[in-house]
Amino acid sequence: MFLGIAVCFLSGCGIARHAVPANLESAAIIPGMADVRGFGDAPNKALLEDLSESFKQDSPDDYRKGLTKEYPVLLISGGGANGAYGAGLLNGWSESGARPKFKIVTGISTGALIAPYAFLGSGYDAELKELYTTLSTKDVASKRDPITVLVSDSLETTHPLSRVIKKHVTRDLLKKIAEEHNKGRRLYIGSTNLDAQRLCVWNMGKIAQFGDDEALKLFHKILLASSAIPIAFPPMFFDVEVNGKKYNEMHVDGGTVTQVFSLYGVLQGTRKDKNVEVYLIWNGFVGPRWASVKDGLPSIVERSLLTLFNYQGLADVFRLYILSKERKHDFHVAYIPVDFKSEGNQMFDPAQMTKLFDVGYKEAVEGTAWRPEPPIFEVFGNDNDEEEVK
C-alpha cells in the first residue's frame, strides 16, 4: 500500500489517458461535431472550406471601401489580467465611432474570453467592462491544499473561472454568435494540444450553430482550455474519435504555443488576393517590470510563466507583423504604454485592472492606440532611428 501511495505521489494520479496516436492526430474529431477545428500551423481542409464559404456569405455592401472590399481582422492576445487593457480599448473604440465590424476575430488565453464580446460588437461593451474591472483572483482560481497538489495536475483549480464563464457565456450568446457566423463572419479560439504540441484552432461560430447543451458545454470547455496556464491551472481533456475509436486529448493554454494567432498558417499556399486590415491587441508589457518575488513555488511559477509568456508574446507579434507584410496586409498594433506602472497586489487586482482599462479606453477615444510597427521596436530600437556610432 505504501509503495502504491509513493508511486502516486511521484508520478501523479491524473485521469486515465488514451491519447490519439501521432499518425492519427489530424483525423481526430469531436463526436457529432466534425469539422469544427483544425491545427493552426498547416493548411486544413475544414477550416479553408469554411473560410472560403464565409466570403460567399457576405452581402454586397459588407466591408465595402470604394470599389473594393477591405476586411478588418482582429487578433487578441493573451496576458491574464492585462486583458483589461484590450477591454478598455474596445470600449473606447466604440465610443470614438471608428470601431469596424470585424470579418474575423481570434483570441487566445485572456483574449479568448474577450473575443466573443469583441466579435458581437459594441452592444456587449458594458459586460466586457464589468468582467475586466471587477474580476479578482478568487473569481479565477482557488489554491489546492499541499497534499492534493502532490497528486494533481496543477497548483490551483479553475472552478471559479468555470462559474464565471458559465454565467456570461449563455445559450443566448451562442445564438447570436451563430447568427453572425451565418452572415459570413468568423470567430476562432486557440488552445494547445499538448500531446501534439500544436495550436488547435476552434471554429466557435460553427460550434454555436449546433445550439444544444453539448455545444454550450464544448464552448465553455474551449474557453477554459485556452486559459489553462500549464502547472498553475489544470488541463482540459477532450473526448475525440478516429474511425469510431475513442481517444482523449489534453489541451492547455493556447499561449503555450503562441500568445496571439492569425490564420496565416492555415492559409499557406493560398492566393493573396484579399484586402485585409489587421488589428492586433497585445495585452502585454513592453520590456521588463520589476517585482519582488516570494521564495516559494507558487510565486516562482507565476513570475516565471508571466516572464516567459511576455517575452514570447513580443516575438509572436513581430512574427505576425512580418507575415502580414508578406501578404501585403495593412498592420496595426495596440499595446500597453511603456510608462504604465504595474502596481497590482494580486494576479487579478480590480483596482489595477480598472487603471489598465482606463488607459486602453483613453487611447482609443483619442485615436492614439494603433501603431504601424510591433512593440519590439520600442525594446530594441528601429534601424531607421540609429545614430552613427563614432
Side-chain angles (χ1 to χ4, degrees), residues 256-293:
T256 309
V257 171
T258 178
Q259 282 294 302
V260 61
F261 77 99
S262 70
L263 295 182
Y264 287 137
V266 175
L267 292 169
Q268 291 177 66
T270 61
R271 293 186 304 172
K272 306 174 185 178
D273 59 353
K274 300 294 184 188
N275 296 318
V276 174
E277 193 109 18
V278 177
Y279 293 93
L280 194 161
I281 298 177
W282 161 234
N283 296 300
F285 292 121
V286 178
R289 299 278 166 146
W290 188 90
S292 177
V293 183

Side-chain angles (χ1 to χ4, degrees), residues 15 17-20 28-31 37 191-193 195 200 202 207 217-226 235-241 246-252:
I15 72 167
R17 293 298 320 279
H18 189 200
V20 181
I29 64 168
I30 301 295
R37 63 187 198 153
S191 65
T192 295
N193 181 327
D195 298 314
C200 181
W202 298 87
I207 293 169
K217 288 177 184 176
L218 179 61
F219 206 103
H220 291 160
K221 198 170 192 178
I222 293 165
L223 294 181
L224 268 179
S226 186
M236 293 289 110
F237 295 91
F238 292 88
D239 293 326
V240 298
E241 61 181 39
K246 299 186 182 302
Y247 302 92
N248 59 43
E249 297 173 347
M250 179 188 287
H251 285 239
V252 296

Side-chain angles (χ1 to χ4, degrees), residues 85-240:
Y85 171 76
L89 189 151
L90 287 165
N91 272 256
W93 207 359
S94 296
E95 182 67 22
S96 75
R99 178 174 165 182
K101 179 177 74 173
F102 298 104
K103 174 69 174 177
I104 295 172
V105 175
T106 78
I108 213 158
S109 198
T110 200
L113 303 180
I114 296 172
Y117 300 118
F119 179 74
L120 291 176
S122 58
Y124 284 82
D125 282 354
E127 195 162 350
L128 190 56
K129 179 179 180 180
E130 178 190 351
L131 190 63
Y132 277 90
T133 57
T134 63
L135 205 67
S136 63
T137 303
K138 67 179 176 58
D139 299 314
V140 176
S142 57
K143 295 183 185 300
R144 298 186 191 274
D145 65 70
I147 298 298
T148 305
V149 166
L150 293 173
V151 294
S152 69
D153 51 14
S154 64
L155 296 174
E156 302 180 345
T157 77
T158 48
H159 297 317
L161 180 58
S162 178
R163 289 192 289 269
V164 170
I165 289 172
K166 288 176 181 177
K167 174 186 174 182
H168 289 273
V169 180
T170 62
R171 182 78 72 87
D172 183 62
L173 192 85
L174 253 65
K175 181 181 177 182
K176 288 182 170 59
I177 290 172
E179 289 171 355
E180 294 304 311
H181 183 88
N182 291 334
K183 296 174 185 176
R185 301 178 64 223
R186 294 296 182 262
L187 171 63
Y188 300 109
I189 299 300
S191 65
T192 295
N193 181 327
L194 204 55
D195 298 314
Q197 290 188 320
R198 299 173 73 182
L199 179 71
C200 181
V201 175
W202 298 87
N203 189 337
M204 305 302 277
K206 195 157 191 174
I207 293 169
Q209 282 186 315
F210 286 90
D212 56 14
D213 288 340
E214 289 305 309
L216 186 60
K217 288 177 184 176
L218 179 61
F219 206 103
H220 291 160
K221 198 170 192 178
I222 293 165
L223 294 181
L224 268 179
S226 186
S227 308
I229 303 170
I231 304 174
F233 298 162
M236 293 289 110
F237 295 91
F238 292 88
D239 293 326
V240 298

Side-chain angles (χ1 to χ4, degrees), residues 355-366:
K355 288 180 182 177
L356 261 179
F357 180 95
D358 291 342
V359 167
Y361 182 90
K362 183 172 183 287
E363 284 192 335
V365 169
E366 294 178 349

